[in-house]
Amino acid sequence: MYKKILFYSFLVLSMLVLAACGNDSSNEDKSPSEDEASGEDEVNLYTSRHYDIDGELYKQFEEETGVKVNVIEGSADELIERMKREGEQTADLFYTADAGRLHRAKEQELLQSVDSDVLNENIPEKLTDADKQWFGLTKRARVIVYHKDRVDPSELSTYENLADSKWEDRILIRSSENIYNQSLLASFIELDGRDEAKAWAEGVVDNMAREPQGGDRDQAKGVAAGVGDIAVMNTYYLGGMLNSDDKEEVKVAKQLGVFFPNQDTTGTHVNVSGIGVTKHAENKENAVKLVEFLSSEDVQKQFASANYEYPVNPNVEPAQTLKKWGDFKEQDINLSILGENNPEAVKIFNEVNWK
Amino acid sequence: MRSNLNTWTVLSILFVVLILLPSLSIILQFSAETNENWDHIKEYMLDTYIVNSVILILFVGFFSAIIGSSLAWLISAYDFPLRGFFQWGLILPLAIPPYIGAYTYHGILNYTGVIQTTLRNQWDVTVNQQYFNIMNMPGAIFIFLIFLFPYVFTITKAFLARQSTSLVENARILGTSSWRIYFKIVLPIARASIVAGVSLVILEVLNDYGVVKYYGIKTFTTAIFQTWFGLGDLGSAIKLSGTLMLLILGLIILERILRGRKRFSFTTTKVTLLQPVKLKGSSKWLAFSYCMFVFTIAFIIPFTQLVYWAFLTYNQGFSTEFLRVIGNTVFVAFAAAAMITIMAVVIGNISRLNRGLIAKVFPKVTILGYSIPGAVIAVGIVSLFISIDEVIYQWGWASSYILSTSIVMLIFAYIVRYLAVAYNSIESGFERIGIHFTEASRMLGNNVTKSFFKVDVKLIRGAIFGGFILAFIDILKELPLTLILRPFNFETLATNAFNYATNEMIQQAAIPSILIICISALSIYFFHYVLERE
């Protein structure tokens, strides 16, 4: 009798799980396992971006084309790891917020080349992989922000200059675990060589006003609070703060000025959010369609205004907030370099004890 | 009777093998050759990371033992204002994911937070940032402590309420002071429960990535992620995970050795509930204030801040999509927690009745999954499921991969990861009742299964429910596994909150966070109510 109870409870539980899968595919009718066999009107997307605007754009795409967008979000590296293991049965698209990671996906042979006139026209070559395996969709500049009262912008010049002793105890920047910092250093390894890049990192560590902590917004707040005078951060965070629901954040952002470094030398460091069609994509056609859609003028405009990122499409103007900061000269390197130099950058950070 | 015991044994062996599979893939890679990255890690990273991790677990472990057990003792043995509420209210901090708590406290204390803003705008006072900085080692210890101590509290309270009765009441009759009872009786007899609670706390701390990453503290977990993602070297990352696993197993074995052969179980014929003594005068208010203080900083303050943020953003954060997210979350958490509980009971029962190898090995296996960072387990599980899928595919049973794109994989991952949580609670329940009742029942002619349902289940009901709740809440909050293993378009409240938080949009993360907290709070209350009424 009791033995039976024991077994029935297992039975019930295993049914529960089975029901769960059944449930999942029946009432949502978009379980990939089911649809891969039957329909073509879908595209499977792995993304590390998680902005509300992205979801809204996928919905627009669905309405316009009737192609359903299936999404899995996760960190870029975890998704790469997952794609590697999934082999032939994987996502159709890989979308992430750093060129270094896109390059890593390419290196692991997870992506394929795409030849599309629309994309060639909408996206500048510099922001695209040399073999057309991935395409940039939004740009973000990593700039220096300064306190308007305490720093005269004429004191600022280049990233390299941040290692100068005049900035001792004045710089705020987040931890070396952050991919934006890794890509920044990776670009210096390319432009200045490993030794100089390391010397720079060492110098910045010496000049830090406090040990790295928090995110980009926290660096901005630190400058406003007087912990330091300048901070290194991505532009769209400042855009977000200027347009925040929290009026204290707006106040902080208003005290800060934006400086685009290296205008007379190598240019300001720029990274992209980009997307690539996977090597084994079963819905390649839909995948390309989605990428083309995301690069179109109308969509680029929405990207730019909702997220304060710079559009890649040269025909689209940046959001009003960004326009006030003016135009700037960008680093002139192929963004794949960021991925190639990433492990070296991580090692340098560890060697100079950049927390 | 023999065959009956065998059924239990077979089932538990089956479970243990299942649990072992993903860990096995990691153990196999552990012995792989070292490379230059490994040398780099050893030279520049390992020392700091080990030191930081040890500092964290020592402090958090020690203080959570003190706070958790003292609260459990107060509430089991005394009656004072709001005691009934604190009984379950003090479990509530567990409903707040530590990383959300970390963001919230930072949000309160930082330059644009409510404290500094009020000081600036109302009184024109600008403070030294240094005194308001929580993003450091003491800050992280504080965060882990206030959001994790309920593990110790719950498990110890379940033990004290039912098991300490005769000893405590005899001591009371002999006129022993309550401090003396606490130090001389409660702490020693409840040691197994306290240790069980503390070990959960320590494992959570070692596994955390959100808090330490945001607060900029380099620990073992950050090293694993840095190696895997920064250096792109999964092999070395797995080596680090393996080292962490060994470290944890070492800790557990050490604890068992220290505990020695002492098994506290009592042979009184009936389990009586400890009768709380009514406190009077100042001691009444002292007890109340202590509980209230802990409850305020561990729940009211962060929760109020989240509610405020939710008010700022409710018009953009809420949609009907949300109902589905809530449904998803509750469903997976419930299904997985139910299975975990059953498996924990089966394994716990067989380890208790079997004095041989099984009793030694099985409990340790249950903790394996808990000792590996979620993201690393996820990789082990994906590999496992894809190889199963390949077999199914090749044999023509399905036209595409079935298991690895389904929710089964996610639920399985939860089981591997959180079996330890329910197991610890249930094991300490079993330890409390010992095997005398079962032996008596067996002597009266009942077999193992019958004894289990007639006698054991009734005695450890609290521990079983406790285990279920802890697992359920943990799964509600779970992140790395859910992020990487969920099927397409499957969002949970935790992934939703996390996405906002990582984008530094903590205000928008408030609504999903509040929902996680409310669902956990309801389940805590519900189970508590059911238990109390019985």
Side-chain angles (χ1 to χ4, degrees), chain B residues 508-519:
Chain B
Q508 278 84 343
I511 289 176
S513 305
I514 288 173
L515 277 165
I516 294 175
I517 296 167
C518 289
I519 295 171

Side-chain angles (χ1 to χ4, degrees), chain A residues 193-207:
Chain A
R194 190 190 198 274
D195 293 340
E196 268 190 54
K198 184 177 173 179
W200 175 81
E202 230 158 14
V204 172
V205 171
D206 285 341
N207 289 343

Side-chain angles (χ1 to χ4, degrees), chain A residues 21 24-25 30-39 42 44 70 89 282, chain B residues 389 398-406 488:
Chain A
C21 338
D24 189 45
S25 47
K30 58 197 163 197
S31 155
S33 52
E34 200 183 61
D35 289 344
E36 266 163 33
S38 58
E42 63 169 3
N44 297 327
N70 295 319
Q89 303 228 355
E282 294 205 352
Chain B
D389 262 345
S399 58
S400 64
Y401 286 8
I402 297 183
L403 289 176
S404 54
T405 51
S406 76
F488 277 114

Side-chain angles (χ1 to χ4, degrees), chain A residues 229-257:
Chain A
D229 293 332
I230 56 174
V232 178
M233 67 188 284
N234 283 4
T235 40
Y236 59 90
Y237 285 112
L238 201 63
M241 290 177 88
L242 281 168
N243 296 281
S244 171
D245 295 314
D246 184 343
K247 58 180 192 297
E248 292 299 324
E249 286 203 345
V250 181
K251 273 193 212 167
V252 166
K254 284 191 169 157
Q255 298 174 43
L256 307 178

